[in-house]
């Protein structure tokens, strides 16, 4: 017991209690302001949409329920994590020195791991919902409801809580990193650190696979619609409903794809940091870059939703599909003329 207390005291002395001179809270303040403002704007837009669509039956889609839960998760994470950093700068003390027995450092590290994993799981839930809606519509209509979407958030929180609580069993698994304003999983705990990074990487791959499957299914739907133009007339209302459905699915895919790419880019420095040696990561300053990139993701997500409003999505859709639609029209005209000529020859 005496050796254990001496070891912990020696590790405590190695960790600085005061911030280095010249450290400025400007970047942290800007990130906190942008995160809170972006999430509040996105949440206000979602509430406005919910109120406007509440009078219409089956108008609020499960996708927008999941987007709302993602925005709430990002807002909660920003409000619970960033003020700790600002308090560290305000008192010019590191996280270890802010509270007794490293409680503040442990709280910060646990919150970072929890909300990063919860955000990735939310993106996976959104991608899986789109995959089922497009790839397996009959199963989706019978088994997936908006109530199941409301159950996604507590399920993800419980799973993230259980997985991220493992380091709490060992008091020294969390370490303070330079310049002393943040804590995370210690590099000495290589197994858990790489397990966490690998889990995030696998979730990113799964989300990309779901998005790729949605793209393939949308292309197939587009081709089926092109063939139907050459066949018997199905009525203008049916075609109009099919075009509206394709447009909505494309809008959801664009929004989800940009959020996925953002999280993949923000998680890449952390993955590199997790698999690097402790000395090399400190020398290259990958530790600080990894934290900032992970924090930026919760800032960018709400701004992506706030900026990509339906008019902007329609513009992006028109730009992306303009050349494809021109080629499709030419191919449709050629195929239809070929079929009509063949039918005339058969009649003769």
């Amino acid at each position: 017991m005496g050796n254990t207390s001496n070891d912990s005291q020696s590790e405590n002395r190695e960790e600085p209690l005061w911030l280095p001179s010249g450290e400025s809270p400007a970047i942290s303040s800007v990130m906190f302001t942008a995160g809170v403002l972006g999430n509040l704007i996105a949440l206000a837009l979602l509430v406005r949409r919910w109120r406007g669509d509440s009078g219409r039956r089956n108008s609020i889609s499960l996708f927008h329920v999941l987007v709302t839960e993602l925005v709430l998760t990002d807002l909660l994470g920003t409000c619970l994590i960033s003020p700790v950093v600002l308090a560290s700068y305000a008192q010019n003390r590191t996280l270890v020195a802010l509270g007794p027995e490293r409680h503040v450092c442990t709280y910060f590290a646990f919150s970072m791991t929890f909300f990063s994993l919860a955000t990735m799981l939310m993106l996976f839930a959104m991608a899986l919902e789109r995959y089922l809606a497009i790839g397996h519509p009959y199963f989706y209509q019978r088994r997936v409801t908006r109530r199941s979407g409301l159950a996604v958030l507590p399920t993800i929180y419980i799973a993230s809580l259980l997985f991220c609580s493992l380091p709490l069993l060992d008091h020294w698994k969390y370490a303070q990193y330079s310049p002393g304003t943040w804590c995370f999983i210690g590099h000495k705990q290589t197994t858990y650190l790489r397990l966490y990074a690998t889990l995030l990487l696998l979730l990113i791959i799964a989300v990309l696979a779901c998005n790729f499957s949605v793209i393939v299914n949308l292309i197939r739907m587009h081709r089926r619609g092109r063939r139907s133009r050459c066949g018997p007339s199905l009525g203008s209302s049916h075609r109009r409903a099919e075009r509206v459905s394709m447009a909505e699915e494309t809008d959801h895919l664009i929004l989800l794809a940009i959020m996925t790419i953002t999280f993949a880019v923000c998680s890449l420095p952390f993955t590199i940091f997790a698999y690097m040696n402790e000395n090399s990561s400190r020398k290259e300053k990958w530790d600080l870059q990894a934290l900032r990139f992970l924090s930026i993701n919760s800032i960018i997500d709400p701004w992506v939703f706030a900026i990509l409003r339906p008019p902007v999505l329609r513009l992006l859709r028109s730009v992306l599909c303009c050349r494809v639609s021109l080629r499709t029209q030419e191919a449709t005209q050629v195929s239809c003329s070929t079929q009509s000529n063949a039918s005339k020859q058969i009649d003769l």
Side-chain angles (χ1 to χ4, degrees):
M1 292 296 293
N3 294 333
T4 304
S5 61
N6 291 334
D7 293 341
S8 58
Q9 288 176 4
S10 61
E11 291 185 27
N12 238 340
R13 293 192 192 101
E14 292 177 0
E15 293 178 321
L17 302 179
W18 305 96
L19 295 181
S21 59
E23 290 293 330
S24 174
I27 297 179
S28 299
S29 301
V30 171
M31 292 175 62
F32 175 66
T33 304
V36 173
L37 184 61
N39 281 289
L40 289 178
I41 292 175
L43 192 60
L45 293 174
L46 286 167
V47 171
R48 181 182 177 183
R49 181 185 180 89
W50 279 57
R51 288 182 177 178
D53 294 347
S54 59
R56 290 178 289 179
R57 186 179 180 182
N58 296 329
S59 56
I60 302 175
S61 64
L62 176 58
F63 182 82
H64 284 93
V65 173
L66 297 177
V67 171
T68 305
E69 293 175 348
L70 176 63
V71 171
L72 288 174
T73 301
D74 288 338
L75 180 60
L76 185 62
T78 302
C79 292
L80 291 179
I81 295 176
S82 295
V84 179
V85 181
L86 298 179
S88 175
Y89 279 112
Q91 300 184 25
N92 196 30
R93 304 176 70 183
T94 63
L95 297 186
V96 172
L98 281 182
E101 300 182 0
R102 303 168 52 89
H103 288 331
V104 177
C105 179
T106 302
Y107 164 78
F108 185 92
F110 173 79
S111 300
M112 279 294 301
T113 54
F114 174 82
F115 285 105
S116 298
L117 181 59
T119 300
M120 191 65 247
L121 288 174
M122 285 301 307
L123 287 175
F124 174 70
M126 293 166 61
L128 184 61
E129 187 269 341
R130 288 294 87 201
Y131 167 74
L132 294 176
I134 303 300
H136 304 277
Y138 296 107
F139 175 84
Y140 180 83
Q141 292 178 1
R142 293 180 60 184
R143 299 297 180 89
V144 182
T145 61
R146 285 194 297 271
R147 290 184 178 179
S148 59
L150 296 176
V152 168
L153 187 63
T155 303
I156 288 177
Y157 276 18
I158 292 174
S160 301
L161 182 65
L162 293 176
F163 184 81
C164 296
S165 297
L166 294 177
L168 296 177
L169 302 177
D170 188 351
H171 186 64
W172 290 106
K173 277 195 174 182
Y174 292 132
Q176 179 176 273
Y177 289 89
S178 176
T181 56
W182 71 288
C183 295
F184 206 72
I185 306 168
H187 246 299
K188 295 181 180 179
Q189 307 298 332
T190 308
T191 303
Y192 184 81
L193 179 61
R194 293 183 178 178
L195 178 63
Y196 184 86
T198 304
L199 178 59
L200 292 184
L201 187 61
L202 291 177
L203 287 173
I204 292 173
I205 295 174
V207 171
L208 293 176
C210 290
N211 290 341
F212 180 76
S213 177
V214 170
I215 293 174
V216 172
N217 287 316
L218 286 177
I219 293 175
R220 290 176 180 174
M221 291 172 59
H222 184 69
R223 289 178 178 176
R224 285 196 298 266
R226 186 182 65 185
R227 294 194 191 102
S228 66
R229 298 190 189 101
C230 299
S233 177
L234 298 177
S236 59
S237 60
H238 184 274
R239 291 183 178 178
R240 189 181 301 111
E242 186 177 350
R243 287 196 298 268
V244 171
S245 177
M246 281 285 297
E248 290 179 353
E249 300 299 342
T250 306
D251 291 347
H252 294 162
L253 179 63
I254 292 174
L255 186 64
L256 180 59
I258 294 178
M259 288 183 175
T260 305
I261 293 173
T262 301
F263 192 88
V265 172
C266 292
S267 300
L268 183 60
F270 171 74
T271 306
I272 298 175
F273 157 75
Y275 283 92
M276 288 178 68
N277 189 6
E278 182 178 4
N279 295 329
S280 59
S281 65
R282 290 182 177 179
K283 182 179 179 180
E284 301 294 335
K285 295 184 179 180
W286 272 107
D287 47 5
L288 184 59
Q289 299 300 328
L291 168 79
R292 286 178 175 173
F293 270 90
L294 276 178
S295 303
I296 286 174
N297 176 74
S298 61
I299 298 173
I300 296 179
D301 276 347
W303 284 107
V304 168
F305 180 79
I307 293 174
L308 294 182
R309 302 297 298 145
V312 180
L313 288 173
R314 284 195 294 268
L315 177 62
L316 290 176
R317 192 178 351 113
S318 63
V319 172
L320 291 174
C321 301
C322 181
R323 296 181 180 179
V324 177
S325 61
L326 290 176
R327 294 177 181 176
T328 302
Q329 290 177 2
E330 293 177 358
T332 303
Q333 292 175 358
V334 172
S335 62
C336 290
S337 61
T338 303
Q339 292 181 9
S340 62
N341 292 334
S343 61
K344 288 179 180 179
Q345 291 178 2
I346 292 173
D347 293 337
L348 290 175

